[in-house]
Structure formats: structure tokens, C-alpha cells
């Protein structure tokens, strides 16, 4: 399956961000802690040149806690300020105000020397679809000030939010980039829900996830779904037969039955993907810093 999604509104949103970047002191970039590299739009670094930078490892409650620390160290070594957060329950969010002051200390000190006081830091909040930007802003502001949703592309317009006298945020729509050079990146983005599910094969997505979990998190699927370990026996068109057997077992265990009393693999695939996205499968990281010597999930 070819993974690609770049609807017209994303191109419009990118142009809007380019037009507004001159107003900005700081770029706050949200990434998904399960795929911190794959969930970074490569266009952001070009857009944010000469701006102060913060990376928020969002959904850190869904990712492997050990690799959260490794990824935080990875980005700090590259010169970013980094905070692990869970925007849904607010974990880590209160510390961001202090990190903003630290990241923009040079700008604040420069203003002070010029006799400029109480001029707020203007920050642009950026990230790919479904990474949790609007939920983060609502949590940070302590009120529902942006639209949120569980489908990519809910935030479509420009929204300024004044948090306090020292900080203003510009919320921006989630955007991807025109072409994924590596389809493994598209696959990871599909797994976390950043690509419209309607254009995906959920069965293929589930097969790839099952393969990855059986390699990096052995026993997890068996424990969650009460199934036995499927035999390892080659692959067909890039899909391991073990993954296919496992999905059949899950379909049988969860009574996913289609017409004619046949097992409904599509329904079973949806269950596996939903359980991964919601954290019901446990804390899972899909790619690792190079220093760890591991590779991410591929397809």
C-alpha cells in the first residue's frame, strides 16, 4: 500500500504559516512520542530558521517510558528545549511556561535592555494532524479555546490565543508534507491516525503492527487477546504468515464474524489498531534513536 495524504487545505495552511512566521519569536512543535522523528514535518525546520525552538513529546503516556528519556536526550543534543507531556490529562504542561522563558531568555533580555517591558513572547504551535495540538492549547490555557477532534484536519484557520501578559500562541492547522520519501514513515503516520483512515487498508496496517509487536514486544498480543503464539512460517507479499495467523486468532477470539459465518479480518484489524492508538495494548514506541541500535517499524 502506498501511504500519501496531502489535501489542498494543507498547502493553504503552509502558506499561511509562511506568511505569519515573521510575527513569531518561538516555534513550539508537538511530536507524537511513539514516533518522534516520523511525526516531524521536515518543512518546519526550514520555516522556523532563526526562531527559538521547543519540542513537546506529546502522548508520552502511550509510548515506552525508557525511550521517552532517550528521545528527550536526542533532541536536547540537537539544541532543542524538550518537554514530555500528556496534553489530555495535563501532565508536564505546567512546566512549559518556565521552558518558554528559558528558551526565549535572549529575546527577553534584549527587550529589557531596549527598555521594552511586558511585550509578550509570540509562539507558533505546529505539528502534524492528530498530534494533539488543540488539546495541548486547551490544557495549557486551562479552558476550551480551540476546536478539537479525533480526526486529522479539524483545525483549519488561524487562531491567536493570549495565555497571559507574557505569552501569546498562534494555533495552526496540522499539516503533512507533499511526499513521503520513505514509505515506512507513511506507515507509522497511518498507525497513529495522522492519515485519513478512509484511504487506508486497515488489514495491511494491522499486519505490519502485529509483525512489529511480535518482534519488539513479544507476548503482548497473546496477553491482550488471550491467544496462543502463532507459528513462524515465511511471508507472502511482504506480510508474514505469522501476522496473518495472529489476526485470524484475534478475529476468532473477539467473535469478529462476517456474513456466511466467516471471520471478519477487517473488524479484527480495526480492534488491534484502535487498541494501539488508545494505549490498551500498553506503552509502545515504534522508532528509536540511532544511539539505541534499534530500528523502527517498517513496511
Amino acid at each position: 500500500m502506498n501511504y500519501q495524504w496531502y489535501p489542498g487545505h494543507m498547502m493553504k495552511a503552509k502558506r499561511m504559516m509562511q506568511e505569519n512566521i515573521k510575527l513569531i519569536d518561538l516555534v513550539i512543535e508537538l511530536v507524537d512520542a511513539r514516533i518522534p522523528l516520523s511525526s516531524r514535518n521536515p518543512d518546519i525546520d526550514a520555516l522556523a530558521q532563526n526562531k527559538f525552538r521547543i519540542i513537546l513529546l506529546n502522548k508520552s503516556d502511550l509510548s515506552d517510558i525508557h525511550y521517552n528519556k532517550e528521545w528527550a536526550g536526542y533532541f536536547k543534543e540537537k539544541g532543542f528545549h524538550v518537554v514530555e507531556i500528556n496534553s489530555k490529562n495535563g501532565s508536564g504542561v505546567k512546566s512549559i511556561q518556565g521552558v518558554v522563558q528559558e528558551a526565549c531568555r535572549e529575546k527577553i533580555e534584549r527587550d529589557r535592555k531596549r527598555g521594552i517591558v511586558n511585550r509578550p513572547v509570540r509562539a507558533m504551535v505546529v505539528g502534524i494532524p492528530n498530534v494533539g495540538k488543540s488539546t495541548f492549547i486547551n490544557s495549557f490555557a486551562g479552558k476550551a479555546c480551540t476546536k478539537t477532534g479525533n480526526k486529522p484536519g479539524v483545525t483549519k484557520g488561524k487562531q491567536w490565543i493570549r495565555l497571559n501578559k507574557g505569552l501569546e500562541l498562534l494555533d495552526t492547522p496540522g499539516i503533512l508534507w507533499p511526499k513521503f520519501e520513505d514509505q515506512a514513515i507513511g506507515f507509522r503516520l497511518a498507525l497513529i491516525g495522522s492519515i485519513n483512515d478512509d484511504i487506508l487498508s486497515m488489514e495491511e496496517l494491522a499486519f505490519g503492527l502485529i509483525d512489529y509487536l511480535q518482534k519488539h514486544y513479544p507476548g503482548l498480543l497473546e496477553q491482550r487477546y488471550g491467544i496462543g503464539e502463532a507459528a513462524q512460517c515465511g511471508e507472502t507479499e511482504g506480510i508474514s504468515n505469522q501476522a496473518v495467523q495472529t489476526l485470524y486468532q484475534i478475529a476468532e477470539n473477539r467473535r469478529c464474524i462476517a456474513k456466511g459465518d466467516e471471520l471478519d479480518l477487517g473488524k479484527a484489524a480495526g480492534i488491534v489498531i484502535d487498541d494501539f492508538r488508545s494505549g490498551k495494548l500498553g506503552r509502545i514506541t515504534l522508532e528509536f534513536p540511532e544511539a539505541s541500535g534499534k530500528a523502527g517499524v517498517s513496511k
Side-chain angles (χ1 to χ4, degrees), residues 244-268:
V244 176
Q245 289 181 44
T246 299
L247 192 59
Y248 269 108
Q249 289 183 358
I250 294 170
E252 186 172 18
N253 178 275
R254 290 301 175 94
R255 302 186 184 279
C256 300
I257 308 298
K259 290 182 179 179
D261 289 333
E262 294 185 0
L263 291 175
D264 188 339
L265 289 190
K267 184 175 180 181

Side-chain angles (χ1 to χ4, degrees), residues 63-79:
S63 53
D64 194 316
I65 190 169
H66 170 73
Y67 292 109
N68 286 350
K69 302 303 179 187
E70 287 203 13
W71 277 115
Y74 171 89
F75 287 120
K76 285 176 182 176
E77 285 183 3
K78 295 189 176 298

Side-chain angles (χ1 to χ4, degrees), residues 53-67:
R53 304 291 301 275
I54 293 176
I55 284 184
L56 303 181
L57 291 167
N58 195 26
K59 306 187 181 183
S60 58
D61 57 311
L62 301 178
S63 53
D64 194 316
I65 190 169
H66 170 73
Y67 292 109

Side-chain angles (χ1 to χ4, degrees), residues 120-174:
V121 170
R122 284 191 149 190
M124 179 183 283
V125 183
V126 301
I128 64 170
N130 215 34
V131 80
K133 290 188 296 83
S134 295
T135 303
F136 156 67
I137 290 175
N138 291 343
S139 178
F140 196 22
K143 58 185 178 182
C145 52
T146 67
K147 292 182 179 179
T148 61
N150 58 7
K151 288 189 176 183
V154 170
T155 305
K156 290 188 170 63
K158 179 171 71 173
Q159 299 185 73
W160 278 102
I161 300 103
R162 187 176 180 90
L163 266 67
N164 51 55
K165 66 180 182 180
L167 181 61
E168 293 180 355
L169 299 182
L170 175 60
D171 189 18
T172 60

Side-chain angles (χ1 to χ4, degrees), residues 64-108:
D64 194 316
I65 190 169
H66 170 73
Y67 292 109
N68 286 350
K69 302 303 179 187
E70 287 203 13
W71 277 115
Y74 171 89
F75 287 120
K76 285 176 182 176
E77 285 183 3
K78 295 189 176 298
F80 296 95
H81 289 77
V82 184
V83 185
E84 298 174 37
I85 67 168
N86 171 2
S87 59
K88 280 194 172 182
N89 69 10
S91 175
V93 172
K94 288 184 178 179
S95 68
I96 294 172
Q97 184 71 52
V99 177
V100 168
Q101 296 298 307
E102 176 64 25
C104 297
R105 183 169 52 182
E106 180 183 327
K107 179 260 182 195
I108 295 168

Side-chain angles (χ1 to χ4, degrees), residues 20-32:
N20 285 285
I21 194 66
K22 61 182 179 292
L23 306 173
I24 299 302
D25 305 302
L26 168 71
V27 174
I28 299 175
E29 180 181 2
L30 273 78
V31 301
D32 190 305

